[in-house]
Each structure stands twice: as structure tokens, then as C-alpha cells.
């Protein structure tokens, strides 16, 4: 419990910064919606001038962009991208920071097992992400209600918003696996940004060429907002795949870290 509280306190500042940043980002995007609805036809004509490949890469749908859910989905793309960097950053630093800050040998002398250490750190990361997403969703709902003159499907809006946390959990699992497997990570930020943007570029490539196989290779494709808006639900197959991948990655992290040779300072 002491490790959990210590980690939660250590993530407090970064959690606050990320929460404020994500909330400010979506407030900025949604604040432009009233102006868009006044010139909806002109805005559509402007987007039509862009090549179809560009619109697909950016996640812009001409059929729904002038609706609140459609416009929110477009802005949400950048929210989920930033949130994934936060999650990857937290996941990668879970175990690597002990080696980097030369506190691993001190921590391992405590009367706790390595599995208990991983569990406490992982729970602290999950709680930090939950706090970020709950506050973000609350602000997003309030902002959407203020800027939209017409009613919208709140259930669909919340389903879209929740996908941020679901995608983030996949990056947390990947991050902790890297953290457990790597002998030493000097800086987590290059790894976090590189990994997230790599998957995001793969997502854009899949949207452009329409290759369905790519959908299984990047977390950003698991929860298509166009599908959620149309069906007000997730694709069950991708939810199942995510659960399997997260369990496999975290289980592997426990095994690797339990057997890992950690050098004393």
C-alpha cells in the first residue's frame, strides 16, 4: 500500500498537467462548433477540395462532420493521441525509473515481492488514467451541452469518450512490457512518442489504403468513431482482442520482472 500511495503521489503533478491539457484541447475544439454550424455548407465545400486520401487520413467524414458527434470525433482524434502518449509514458516508466534513478536495490530490499511491486505501481498508473479520463469526460460533456443547440445521443458521446481510456490501457500494457524487458531505459519520452506516433501513422496508412489487416495492428483502429456513431456500440471482436493483448502483455511483464537480474548500485 505504501508503494501504491508513493507512486500515486509521484504521478500527481503529471496527471494534473495531462488532465488540464486534454480538457483544454477538447474545449478549444468544441468551442468552434457553433461557428461551423452557421456556415456548414461552406465548410463542407472547403473539405471537398481536399483529396479523399487526406480526409481519410485525418479521420474526416463529410457525412457527419457538421453534426456534434461527427465534429467531436474529429477533435477527439488528437485527444486520444495525446492521452496515449501519457499512458505509454506512464507504462514505460513503471519499472524503468527505479533502474534509471538507482533506487531499484533499495526497493527490492523491502519485505515485498516483485509481483507486489509491479501490482502496486500498475494500480497507481491505472488510477491516474482513470482520474484524467473522468475529469476529461465530465468537461467534454458539459462543453458539448453548452455549444450544441440541438440534442445529441449522450450514450454515443460517452462511448466515444471512453475509447480514450481503452486505447490508453493497451499502451500501458505495452509500456510496462518494454519497461520489464529492457535492461535500462535512459529516457522514456522518446520511446513513448516514437511508439505512439508509429502506431498512429500505421492507423493513417490503414485509413488511406483501406487495408483491413492493418486494423489488427494498431490500437487506434480498434474503436472507429464512425462505427460507434452508426451502431452506438463497440465491435466485440476488437474488445476481445484488446483484453487478450493486455492480459498477455501484463502477464509477460510479471514473469520477466520476477526473473530479471537487477544490478545493485
Amino acid at each position: 500500500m505504501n508503494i501504491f500511495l508513493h507512486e500515486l503521489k509521484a504521478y500527481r503533478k503529471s496527471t494534473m498537467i495531462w488532465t488540464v491539457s486534454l480538457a483544454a484541447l477538447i474545449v478549444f475544439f468544441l468551442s468552434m462548433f457553433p461557428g461551423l454550424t452557421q456556415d456548414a455548407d461552406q465548410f463542407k465545400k472547403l473539405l471537398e477540395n481536399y483529396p479523399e486520401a487526406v480526409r481519410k487520413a485525418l479521420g474526416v467524414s463529410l457525412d457527419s462532420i457538421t453534426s456534434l458527434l461527427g465534429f467531436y470525433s474529429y477533435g477527439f482524434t488528437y485527444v486520444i493521441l495525446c492521452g496515449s502518449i501519457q499512458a505509454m509514458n506512464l507504462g514505460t516508466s513503471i519499472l524503468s525509473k527505479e533502474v534509471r534513478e538507482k533506487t531499484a536495490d533499495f526497493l527490492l530490499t523491502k519485505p515485498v515481492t516483485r509481483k507486489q511491486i509491479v501490482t502496486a505501481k500498475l494500480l497507481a498508473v491505472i488510477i491516474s488514467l482513470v482520474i484524467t479520463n473522468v475529469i476529461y469526460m465530465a468537461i467534454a460533456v458539459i462543453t458539448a451541452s453548452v455549444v450544441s443547440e440541438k440534442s445529441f445521443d449522450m450514450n454515443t458521446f460517452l462511448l466515444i469518450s471512453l475509447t480514450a481510456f481503452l486505447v490508453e490501457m493497451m499502451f500501458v500494457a505495452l509500456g510496462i512490457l518494454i519497461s520489464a524487458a529492457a535492461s535500462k531505459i535512459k529516457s522514456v519520452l522518446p520511446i513513448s512518442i516514437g511508439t505512439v506516433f508509429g502506431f498512429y501513422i500505421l492507423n493513417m496508412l490503414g485509413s488511406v489504403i483501406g487495408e483491413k489487416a492493418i486494423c489488427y495492428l494498431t490500437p487506434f483502429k480498434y474503436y472507429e468513431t464512425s462505427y460507434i456513431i452508426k451502431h452506438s456500440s463497440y465491435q466485440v471482436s476488437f474488445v476481445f482482442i484488446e483484453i487478450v493483448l493486455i492480459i498477455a502483455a501484463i502477464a509477460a511483464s510479471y514473469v520477466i520482472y520476477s526473473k530479471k537480474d537487477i544490478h545493485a548500485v
Side-chain angles (χ1 to χ4, degrees):
M1 181 59 70
N2 289 336
I3 297 176
F4 168 75
L5 294 176
H6 174 77
E7 292 297 311
L8 201 59
K9 184 178 180 180
Y11 297 138
R12 182 175 55 188
K13 184 177 179 180
S14 65
T15 300
M16 182 174 63
I17 292 173
W18 279 106
T19 302
V20 172
S21 300
L22 295 181
L25 180 60
I26 202 58
V27 168
F28 171 74
F29 266 105
L30 289 178
S31 65
M32 296 187 289
F33 182 70
L36 179 147
T37 55
Q38 293 176 3
D39 300 308
D41 292 335
Q42 293 183 3
F43 185 65
K44 276 189 175 182
K45 289 180 181 180
L46 176 65
L47 292 176
E48 288 174 354
N49 294 327
Y50 288 90
E52 184 178 0
V54 174
R55 295 200 302 269
K56 287 183 177 180
L58 295 175
V60 175
S61 173
L62 292 177
D63 296 329
S64 62
I65 190 63
T66 54
S67 67
L68 178 74
L69 291 177
F71 187 73
Y72 174 66
S73 297
Y74 171 64
F76 184 71
T77 301
Y78 301 99
V79 172
I80 200 171
L81 177 63
C82 295
S84 297
I85 295 175
Q86 176 197 10
M88 187 70 190
N89 199 51
L90 289 172
T92 309
S93 66
I94 284 179
L95 302 174
S96 64
K97 72 175 183 177
E98 302 298 342
V99 176
R100 185 171 58 256
E101 297 174 3
K102 299 180 180 180
T103 57
D105 53 340
F106 171 77
L107 180 63
L108 295 177
T109 58
K110 297 296 181 181
V112 290
T113 65
R114 293 193 181 191
K115 290 182 179 180
Q116 289 175 319
I117 292 173
V118 176
T119 301
K121 287 174 169 286
L122 181 58
L123 285 176
V125 166
I126 293 174
I127 293 300
S128 297
L129 290 177
V130 168
I131 291 172
T132 296
N133 280 274
V134 168
I135 295 176
Y136 163 79
M137 290 176 67
I139 293 176
V141 168
I142 293 172
T143 306
S145 301
V146 171
V147 302
S148 180
E149 296 180 354
K150 298 180 181 179
S151 60
F152 58 92
D153 191 333
M154 182 60 72
N155 180 58
T156 302
F157 186 91
L158 293 175
L159 284 174
I160 293 173
S161 301
L162 183 59
T163 60
F165 178 73
L166 297 176
V167 173
E168 287 165 10
M169 283 304 300
M170 284 190 275
F171 281 108
V172 167
L174 178 59
I176 190 174
L177 179 59
I178 294 174
S179 182
S183 57
K184 185 177 182 180
I185 299 177
K186 293 183 178 180
S187 177
V188 300
L189 193 58
I191 295 176
S192 301
I193 294 178
T195 303
V196 172
F197 272 98
F199 280 112
Y200 187 72
I201 292 172
L202 192 62
N203 167 60
M204 296 176 68
L205 180 63
S207 298
V208 172
I209 66 177
E211 179 58 54
K212 293 183 178 180
I214 294 181
C215 295
Y216 297 94
L217 301 178
T218 170
F220 293 109
K221 274 291 184 185
Y222 282 25
Y223 302 98
E224 290 278 9
T225 52
S226 57
Y227 180 92
I228 298 173
I229 292 175
K230 184 177 180 180
H231 300 278
S232 292
S233 64
Y234 301 138
Q235 290 179 273
V236 178
S237 58
F238 285 114
V239 176
F240 177 76
I241 292 172
E242 174 181 358
I243 293 173
V244 171
L245 290 177
I246 290 176
I247 292 176
I250 293 179
S253 301
Y254 272 97
V255 173
I256 294 172
Y257 191 70
S258 296
K259 299 179 180 180
K260 188 175 182 179
D261 184 18
I262 299 177
H263 298 285
V265 178

